[in-house]
Amino acid sequence: MRKVKNSIKKMMTLCLAAIMTLAMATTAFAADRIKTGNLTVNVNEGNTLKGQTIKVYKLFDLSVSDTHYAYTVNADYKNAIATALGLSKEATSEQLYNKLAEYKENPSGIQKFANDFTAAALKAGTAETGTSKKLGEVTEYKFENLDYGYYLVYQTGTKEIQSSLVSVDDVDVTVNLKGQAPSIDKTANATTVEIGQVVTYTIKGTIPDTTGYDKYTYKIHDTLTEGLDFVKDAVGTAQEGTSYNVSVKIGEGQAETKAATLSGENNRIMTLDLSEWIRNNQNSKGQEFTVTYYAKVNADAVVQTNNSAHLEYGNDPDNITTTTPDVVTTPTYPVQIHKLIKDQQNSYLAGAIFRLYRSEEDANNNQNAIAVTGSNGTYTVDPEQVGDNKMYDMESIGDGTTVGTGMNLKLNGLAEGSYWLVETQAPDGYNKLTAPVKITITKSDTTNVNDWTIKQNDGVVDDKIIDIENTTGTLLPETGGMGTVIFTVIAVVMILGIAVSFVISRRKRA
């Protein structure tokens, strides 16, 4: 009996050992079959992933043996894959694979499948295999330890759906995104401006794809500097109130009026909420749209006059993405004058009166002078050049600090171009200029707006202060007065005196 029991124990021990060996072998086999890899997702050139979310969907499982690959459809996405491929939901895994394989030489076909699957998944609320969550200012994201498979990669919030497809079949795999995040581009119809000029601003954007989003925010913000004011139209009609109309159109279509809101100091901040308009125009997603509006240059304009626009967008009200501001600079320039006595650099002559003209012909004929406002050596271009009681004369003062260091006359608010300065009246005791002085202003050709230049009669003025010298002299000879008569009389008297003295002397000797 004891022998039987011992035999049974030995058999059970052997069976248990065999079971453990088989289990270990099965685990090792499974581990060898189910492999994982890392997937690095790179944003396309010139963009970042700020505010974006990357989602991946494993469409097919993949097993690899040397150069042999076996794909099996993921049951979670089978119906959506079949629909996107135009096949029935009863299609087998092999049929789905074969249909996709047909797109190997058809890039547009495979891209359409990827986009159609994405749109269907978003509308249906289909769960993704993995997600990056909302990203910061990065250009790549790595999904780690993904099971081998055929993955669709989707970037949220792009201008249009542009999903990517990639097989994770190695330790490290990379895919480059195709989508672009929403952005805006702002331009002006002038690169330099004059006070009183109306500038037309244009913002271009692309209608983003909001497929699958219950909510979507799309707001354009524009902030003007002190040298600009929003106006209603291209002729400069003054804006009243905080409701501000702008023009919006898609492509070359019909423009429509949308109401923006003005706020901030002197209503120089504009907010244009296009959220509902974007959702209502999804049939035009991916197309360019244009926003047009106007601003007038005022007397506070300077060389650094600019305004900046940025976009606020996103499908999550609590996690809205703000783009980097797009700054448009429309500088205006001064003419700075040092009126001095010739050969006395530290002198400042008061009382010289000047006018500025836009052409040499006007300067020579004293017509169409630039109207100005101001006094005490400091003047600005009059925003309204036409009208009664306009002022054209600018008068220098007697020191080099009140107007600005090293100058005693300044006119602000000129655009790039050539001008002619005429001295219409010289200070008492000095000779005025006999010909107009040509002044040429050239905008900066670098990103630094302060690199502008000014020339005086074609010579560059390094310190940007134009020296205007006056000369003085002694009185010239006159006619009709005493002239030389007095000297003749004196000479005659002296000669007579000498003659009389000579005669008296001769008589005494006789």
Side-chain angles (χ1 to χ4, degrees), residues 126-141:
T126 305
E128 64 276 2
T129 305
T131 178
S132 67
K133 303 300 183 182
K134 189 172 182 178
L135 298 171
E137 193 78 33
V138 297
T139 58
E140 67 176 31
Y141 180 81

Side-chain angles (χ1 to χ4, degrees), residues 24-36:
M24 292 175 66
T26 302
T27 301
F29 177 74
D32 184 60
R33 296 259 313 181
I34 303 175
K35 295 181 179 180
T36 62

Side-chain angles (χ1 to χ4, degrees), residues 124-344:
T126 305
E128 64 276 2
T129 305
T131 178
S132 67
K133 303 300 183 182
K134 189 172 182 178
L135 298 171
E137 193 78 33
V138 297
T139 58
E140 67 176 31
Y141 180 81
K142 179 183 285 189
F143 290 93
E144 296 181 335
N145 299 319
L146 290 178
D147 290 344
Y148 273 19
Y150 186 57
Y151 286 84
L152 180 142
V153 183
Y154 167 60
Q155 177 186 1
T156 66
T158 55
K159 295 178 181 178
E160 57 183 334
I161 293 176
Q162 282 285 300
S163 295
S164 300
L165 294 165
V166 60
S167 288
V168 176
D169 57 356
D170 206 341
V171 176
D172 290 294
V173 178
T174 299
V175 64
N176 296 318
L177 295 173
K178 302 175 183 178
Q180 292 184 330
S183 62
I184 55 175
D185 179 36
K186 181 176 180 178
T187 57
N189 69 335
T191 55
T192 69
V193 294
E194 182 175 298
I195 288 175
Q197 182 176 341
V198 176
V199 182
T200 301
Y201 288 104
T202 301
I203 289 180
K204 292 184 181 292
T206 302
I207 297 177
D209 193 326
T210 63
T211 301
Y213 297 150
D214 294 328
K215 298 179 180 180
Y216 194 84
T217 297
Y218 195 98
K219 296 180 181 180
I220 295 173
H221 301 271
D222 193 317
T223 302
L224 302 182
T225 55
E226 292 182 356
L228 293 165
D229 294 304
F230 287 109
V231 291
K232 291 183 177 180
D233 48 42
V235 297
T237 305
Q239 164 66 21
E240 298 175 355
T242 58
S243 180
Y244 180 62
N245 289 336
V246 302
S247 171
V248 182
K249 71 174 183 178
I250 300 172
E252 298 301 321
Q254 184 68 34
E256 58 180 302
T257 300
K258 304 296 292 183
T261 302
L262 302 183
S263 61
E265 185 177 357
N266 295 317
N267 287 332
R268 290 197 175 102
I269 299 175
M270 180 189 77
T271 301
L272 177 61
D273 190 345
L274 292 177
S275 304
E276 183 177 357
W277 184 83
I278 290 292
R279 292 193 296 271
N280 292 340
N281 284 280
Q282 282 300 288
N283 59 326
S284 299
K285 60 189 176 185
Q287 293 188 39
E288 184 179 77
F289 69 90
T290 304
V291 180
T292 304
Y293 53 100
Y294 308 91
K296 187 173 183 178
V297 185
N298 63 43
D300 292 324
V302 293
V303 174
Q304 294 87 358
T305 295
N306 59 48
N307 65 335
S308 62
H310 69 271
L311 175 64
E312 183 183 2
Y313 71 92
N315 65 308
D316 182 355
D318 297 324
N319 289 284
I320 298 298
T321 299
T322 299
T323 63
T324 301
D326 188 8
V327 179
V328 175
T329 302
T330 48
T332 188
Y333 304 100
V335 168
Q336 302 166 137
I337 296 171
H338 177 195
K339 183 62 176 174
L340 71 155
I341 303 171
K342 186 177 181 180
D343 299 327
Q344 296 183 36

Side-chain angles (χ1 to χ4, degrees), residues 428-447:
D428 292 341
Y430 292 87
N431 301 311
K432 72 176 184 179
L433 301 181
T434 58
V437 176
K438 183 181 179 182
I439 296 172
T440 304
I441 298 172
T442 304
K443 69 181 181 70
S444 170
D445 58 2
T446 71
T447 56

